[in-house]
Amino acid sequence: MSQEILFLVCGEGPSDVGCEDRNPGVLMKALETLGERALSPHDTLHFRLFSRLDLARPSFLSPRRMVMRGGKNAAGENKAFAALQQQARILGEMAKREARENQWETGAILFHDCDFTQKERLTAEKAYQMTLSAVERGFASTEDFQNGVAMIPCTRSECWLLSHYQEKPYHNSQRFEKASPGNDASPHSPKKLLAKFLACRSQEIYQRVDGDEIQWEKIDSPSFLFFRKRYHHVLQRMLHLPIDCPEKETLITQE
């Protein structure tokens, strides 16, 4: 029996997953490639892209107020993570509505870079955990919705791309996450490292990157592996396949 699977996908801009279906970003190739590996020849995988502005449209908003839980943070950090949590919940509600109206198994994927600076007293790992947790809590707050996937790189999506675009592809990629500053202006930022390897300016990176030449299943960046495990878990549930990995091992937020 064939199955139609749909993911609603929202990123930050054109350089990650993209903002519209006719102009997808490079990371959509990762979603397509990894997703198709879970399908039978009779199944079909669909994606529908949304922008952050789409999530802010009045028709998508819910009156429910979001409450951030966890450690105390600066007011600005609280506001940013609360907004991210809200966006995940809205995307989850959109996916639920889509499943109800079209009778398709529907999931939601929210991409977000780890935005932090040294002034915010956050390490890369802490920023990653807080960003990931905000998205997971947003999806979890959507009633009767289990198919949310947080797509969060540590610290930037360029860290994932550097796994391929380095002298020895797919080797020791975790070092890019460990050493990455949270500021694109830093001379050692992932974006500048990628531009240096591609011999171009930072703003030209995505004219040079080719998602078709990247072997996405070989990327060993820890944050990518965690995203991939969650994505695979959700796909198995949507396809009604045996689950390889327990739910709790695919989430950082344990409640």
Side-chain angles (χ1 to χ4, degrees):
M1 180 179 175
S2 63
Q3 298 185 75
E4 302 279 350
I5 302 295
L6 171 66
F7 278 100
L8 307 188
V9 185
C10 182
E12 293 189 89
S15 65
D16 43 73
V17 296
C19 298
E20 49 189 22
D21 293 333
R22 67 176 180 270
N23 190 25
V26 65
L27 293 184
M28 282 304 303
K29 181 55 66 174
L31 294 174
E32 293 168 1
T33 302
L34 297 174
E36 287 167 0
R37 292 177 179 276
L39 305 181
S40 78
H42 307 291
D43 300 325
T44 308
L45 181 60
H46 306 270
F47 298 96
R48 192 174 302 160
L49 276 167
F50 294 87
S51 70
R52 288 297 207 269
L53 288 177
D54 289 328
L55 300 192
R57 286 165 51 189
S59 59
F60 293 153
L61 296 178
S62 166
R64 252 193 320 147
R65 184 170 175 267
M66 299 302 295
V67 178
M68 280 297 294
R69 288 164 285 179
K72 294 182 179 179
N73 308 291
E77 294 167 13
N78 267 330
K79 185 176 179 181
F81 289 123
L84 189 56
Q85 187 172 331
Q86 171 86 336
Q87 290 162 356
R89 182 179 59 76
I90 292 169
L91 192 63
E93 289 181 348
M94 290 165 58
K96 238 178 71 172
R97 183 167 57 201
E98 183 71 34
R100 209 166 41 237
E101 293 175 355
N102 293 323
Q103 304 296 308
W104 283 6
E105 289 283 356
T106 307
I109 300 171
L110 184 64
F111 173 91
H112 195 79
D113 281 322
C114 295
D115 298 319
F116 74 101
T117 67
Q118 297 300 327
K119 292 180 180 178
E120 293 173 313
R121 306 177 304 282
L122 293 177
T123 63
E125 181 60 24
K126 185 64 175 175
Y128 168 69
Q129 291 175 357
M130 294 178 72
T131 305
L132 184 55
S133 182
V135 175
E136 288 182 355
R137 290 181 190 279
F139 284 137
S141 68
T142 306
E143 190 175 356
D144 298 325
F145 181 70
Q146 293 182 291
N147 298 332
V149 179
M151 191 177 190
I152 313 296
C154 181
T155 57
R156 298 285 193 273
S157 58
E158 287 83 10
C159 287
W160 291 354
L161 300 179
L162 282 164
S163 181
H164 172 80
Y165 293 103
Q166 58 171 315
E167 293 301 325
K168 189 176 180 181
Y170 315 108
H171 175 70
N172 192 24
S173 303
Q174 60 265 32
R175 74 186 190 277
F176 297 117
E177 295 195 358
K178 290 179 179 178
S180 290
N183 190 340
D184 282 340
S186 167
H188 303 294
S189 72
K191 185 168 287 186
K192 285 189 168 57
L193 290 178
L194 188 56
K196 182 178 180 181
F197 182 87
L198 295 171
C200 66
R201 295 183 298 168
S202 295
Q203 55 267 44
E204 296 171 339
I205 286 173
Y206 290 94
Q207 298 170 26
R208 305 288 185 92
V209 168
D210 182 359
D212 287 313
E213 71 181 14
I214 297 173
Q215 295 176 276
W216 298 100
E217 71 283 356
K218 287 189 175 182
I219 294 178
D220 62 351
S221 302
S223 62
F224 186 85
L225 293 176
F226 191 81
F227 145 71
R228 193 176 76 182
K229 181 164 61 174
R230 176 63 184 172
Y231 184 39
H232 185 65
H233 175 90
V234 169
L235 267 170
Q236 286 183 321
R237 178 163 48 228
M238 293 168 69
L239 290 164
H240 308 289
L241 296 172
I243 302 294
D244 291 341
C245 184
E247 175 98 5
K248 65 180 181 180
E249 293 182 17
T250 72
L251 299 168
I252 198 172
T253 308
Q254 304 296 324
E255 296 183 310

